[in-house]
Amino acid sequence: MTTKMVNMEFDGKAVSVPEGMTLVDAAATVGVHIPNLCHIKELRGVGACRMCMVEVEGMKTPVTGCTTRTKEGMKVQTKTAKVEEIRKFVTDLILSFHPLDCMTCPKAGACDLQRYAADLKIQESSFGRKTFNYPLNDRSPFITIDNNYCILCGRCVRVCKEQGTNVLDFMGRGITTKVSTALDKPLHESGCTFCGSCVDACPVNTIMERDRWQHGREWDLEKKDSVCTACASGCSVVVSKKNGKIVKVNAREDNGYLCAIGRFGFDSQNAGNRVTAPLIRQGSKLAPAEWGEALKAAAEGLKKGGANAAFLASGSLSTEEAYAIQSLARDVVGSANIDTNASAYAAGLVSALRAMHGNAGIGIAAQSELASADCVVVIGADPSQKRQKLQEVDVMIRRRAQAGAKVVVISTEKTDLAGHQNAILLQVKAGTDAVAVAGLMSAVLAEGVDPSAKGLDGLKKVLISAADAASASGAAADTIAAAAKAYAAAKNPVVVIGTGVSMSEDASMQALNLALVKGAGVLPLMLEANALGVLQAGCHPDLAPGFAKVKKTGQGYREMLVGAKAALVAGPLADGNLKADFLVVMTSHMSPLAEKADVVLPMTALYERDGSITNVYGVQKSFAAAKDPEGVAKNGAEIAAELSLVMSKTKGFKMKDVEAAVKKLKAGKQSAASFKPVAAKGANAAAVSATAMLSAMNAGMLAESAVKKVLVDVSTAVSR
Amino acid sequence: MLEPSEIKSIDDILNDTHGQRGILIAVLQRTQEKIGYLPEDAMKMIAERLGLSLSQTYGVASFYKHFHFKPRGKKIVKVCMGTACHVRGGKAVLTELESKLGIKEGETTADRAVTLETVGCVGCCALAPVLTVNDQDLYGELTPKMVDDIIHSVRSEHGTHV
């Protein structure tokens, strides 16, 4: 999708900006800041605060920059005496009821109101002072609301509504209007998921992280960009530290959302179950040891395993870590037995993608594609904020639904997403997803979509009529027709394929056909942060790095679980029932599997790691460590490299070899469109449900985190 | 918890207005007519059936003074706080009522007999200060000393005019 650019002027400077963008956003793209207190990028402007008034040549009166859109030849003045006067008046009024305690306020330095008051040289309101004496609402974990500071801009209400969480609203009216929940209940009793979008949206200090008071002011904080690797979304974040400790995590603006785990889960770094030193088994106990001894013990055990040793790499590892581990397995230990969790929960999808790729060139839908979709078909997936399943994907889809896009849900149960008023649910009997999708396809073709235009002439032969599909799957015929109509009419459709169908090659294939016939973007919903990157790095029995064919295939996930002579597991595993005579576990937190290990090697945790991932949208993200590791924990790639050198001076490799190899990998197959996954071994070899996988993924990390309690609370709390 | 008969009434109202857009306020009004106020469970039922969030439903309802979220008394005593009543001591009457009834303005006695509220102007400023009971009976030219008698007559089934 290309946007038309228009030529216009901001303050006499000629610029080229996208057509139809709001003046505030367009100005920002060329480095001009139009003051605003209620605008949020990407959301529809409401023109409430009147700070963004600008003068446009040819218009009698100043207009709001957040609701006026760019046009060819427009001439905008953002700093005239007239608009400055308006802004001054607005700020003056707001300051008449906003406490002036910037000297202790934790938001100072990042407060929009403070900034504008300073710019407009307003020290004190010229109006009388109004105080409310609202009690501080600190009844919920993680987030406090202090209505005394609220300027009623409504940013929080709008982000909450747009993303479908919908727990905040304006209560009452006039000057005593209060932003709160229904009946002023605590957030955790109102269906809040503690994503903290409202915290990021608040221009002042009304809605804040709970523990910000006296924990560093903005200019004390050392800020570092990083990436959350807790799930497949791989959200971009800004980590703020004081005295080497993380005090808060915010979503990076281009990301727009961050869930409770990414935002508040950093307390897991120094939780009681954190592994901070290497551990070696001594009888029934694991005892702390030096790195040298631990590596030696691990090396000896793995050597005994030799060609029979098993290697399992979690999809949460960075590409560098994954590459180093496959290198350790294949080049140093000499074993071809290496696999990743994706083989346990998405094998069908991986092989179907590969099969389609050769002839049709299918691409993974980018986040921007989903953000502009006018119809989203969700097959066998249940992204849900309330159930902590790929929250960010749920938010992206809900934002589109809120903007009027149709969401077609094909599922065996009524998912949260299916409850949206713009959703069309095709509720199908278990195991009939493929039939339902094929029936939907017939109905789409009946709407006049021509498959031959996409080179899919053969499609008609394999279709099932919509009526047959309806009776076989149990989905109502008229809902299939309605869904087909919405999909056929869509200009920018996206098809989301979840792990619910991804173990079945047939259902995955049908879903891909459906996408191809409209040229829709496909979003294969992997679950782990770097599921795609770990495959790219070659952690798969059939795959060498870069999706090349291996010379010798090894054992897959399920075969390895049964019992190996020696095994090395890096990161959380989908299935803890691994049996091995000698077990090495590389992990950041203790887990039931780590308890059984002979050697435990401490890995760096969330925000302590550096490396790169390929997230669910096929985007490669590199990140640096935002904080020093706890104890003597090390990056997984470094551990693998050191281990390789202990095992063999000649075959061993160094960290810089890994980095160079990964750099080459990334350069080789960069774009999402050229992603070529290869068939997994046996499509139905090891089904692990998405729910089981998701709970296993972060179980260790969250076991002793305060987030866990909230997540439990949230899932049992009253629904909206 | 709602009584089965109350659930039935709300259900009827929702069925009656099914499919109409912008119907929330009308539904709230009719529900309050039936039940006397808007209990939480009724709000939840309405929000769910209209496809709105609970916070949004409360957001709309709390905008209007007309809607009540707590049970109200049998008798609604409204003390006038208009200009004339204010000048002639309406506030003192309200304070006396508050202390004698043991409730604050906007609250209801524990036995749900009396709800105490204030009102802008009733339109009979010559009688100031005044109060009304259930928007029907009017008490005028009040002094704090008269409050005991007024409470007595309000609490008895048939209020007498002064």
Side-chain angles (χ1 to χ4, degrees), chain A residues 356 360 451-460 512-513 516-518:
Chain A
M356 298 299 291
S452 55
K454 300 280 178 194
L456 294 170
D457 301 302
L459 195 59
K460 281 182 178 151
L512 289 170
N513 278 336
L516 279 174
V517 80
K518 283 283 292 178

Side-chain angles (χ1 to χ4, degrees), chain A residues 318-340:
Chain A
S318 69
T319 307
E320 287 78 5
E321 291 172 324
Y323 182 88
I325 283 163
Q326 74 80 32
S327 202
L328 177 71
R330 290 184 173 132
D331 307 337
V332 183
V333 180
S335 165
N337 308 329
I338 179 158
D339 207 349
T340 177

Side-chain angles (χ1 to χ4, degrees), chain A residues 96-155:
Chain A
S96 74
F97 62 86
H98 184 89
L100 299 179
D101 55 359
C102 305
M103 54 290 280
T104 51
C105 179
K107 187 82 173 200
C111 172
D112 291 346
L113 185 61
Q114 188 190 38
R115 170 184 176 184
Y116 297 141
D119 288 352
L120 296 164
K121 305 181 196 69
I122 305 178
Q123 268 190 301
E124 166 73 276
S125 176
S126 61
F127 298 93
R129 176 140 295 276
K130 169 118 184 129
T131 46
F132 296 99
N133 295 320
Y134 292 123
L136 169 70
N137 180 351
D138 61 351
R139 294 168 293 165
S140 327
F142 296 121
I143 294 173
T144 54
I145 305 179
D146 193 338
N147 294 95
N148 294 301
Y149 293 85
C150 181
I151 61 169
L152 300 173
C153 67
R155 278 188 190 171

Side-chain angles (χ1 to χ4, degrees), chain B residues 16-84:
Chain B
D16 206 24
T17 53
H18 181 73
Q20 295 182 42
R21 290 183 65 87
I23 202 66
L24 174 62
I25 293 175
V27 170
L28 292 173
Q29 277 176 321
R30 290 177 62 181
T31 305
Q32 182 161 292
E33 265 167 42
K34 283 276 178 209
I35 306 179
Y37 72 110
L38 297 171
E40 189 181 344
D41 288 336
M43 293 294 275
K44 276 186 186 156
M45 195 172 155
I46 292 168
E48 192 173 327
R49 289 277 294 272
L50 295 183
L52 298 167
S53 77
L54 190 62
S55 64
Q56 221 170 336
T57 313
Y58 271 104
V60 169
S62 67
F63 184 88
Y64 300 97
K65 268 209 140 175
H66 170 74
F67 292 120
H68 305 278
F69 306 108
K70 283 184 184 147
R72 305 181 80 212
K74 240 174 166 173
K75 299 281 175 71
I76 315 292
V77 175
K78 288 183 184 167
V79 184
C80 184
M81 290 284 126
T83 313

Side-chain angles (χ1 to χ4, degrees), chain A residues 27 97 133 205-206 285 296 494 497 500 524 532 535 556 569 601-602 635 641 672 709:
Chain A
F97 62 86
N133 295 320
N205 74 330
T206 303
K285 276 199 178 131
K296 213 173 137 207
V494 168
I497 311 173
L532 298 177
L535 286 171
V569 177
L601 303 173
N635 186 294
K709 190 165 168 287

Side-chain angles (χ1 to χ4, degrees), chain B residues 48-146:
Chain B
E48 192 173 327
R49 289 277 294 272
L50 295 183
L52 298 167
S53 77
L54 190 62
S55 64
Q56 221 170 336
T57 313
Y58 271 104
V60 169
S62 67
F63 184 88
Y64 300 97
K65 268 209 140 175
H66 170 74
F67 292 120
H68 305 278
F69 306 108
K70 283 184 184 147
R72 305 181 80 212
K74 240 174 166 173
K75 299 281 175 71
I76 315 292
V77 175
K78 288 183 184 167
V79 184
C80 184
M81 290 284 126
T83 313
C85 293
H86 176 76
V87 171
R88 300 190 64 175
K91 180 83 193 173
V93 175
L94 176 67
T95 312
E96 187 67 11
L97 273 165
E98 282 179 340
S99 81
K100 286 283 158 65
L101 288 169
I103 52 173
K104 289 272 171 228
E105 176 213 333
E107 292 177 352
T108 302
T109 55
D111 59 358
R112 288 204 196 173
V114 184
T115 296
L116 184 62
E117 288 173 0
T118 58
V119 63
C121 178
V122 186
C124 50
C125 306
L127 295 174
V130 300
L131 63 78
T132 64
V133 178
N134 283 2
D135 291 333
Q136 284 167 357
D137 302 342
L138 182 85
Y139 297 77
E141 296 182 343
L142 301 170
T143 63
K145 281 186 185 154
M146 295 155 76

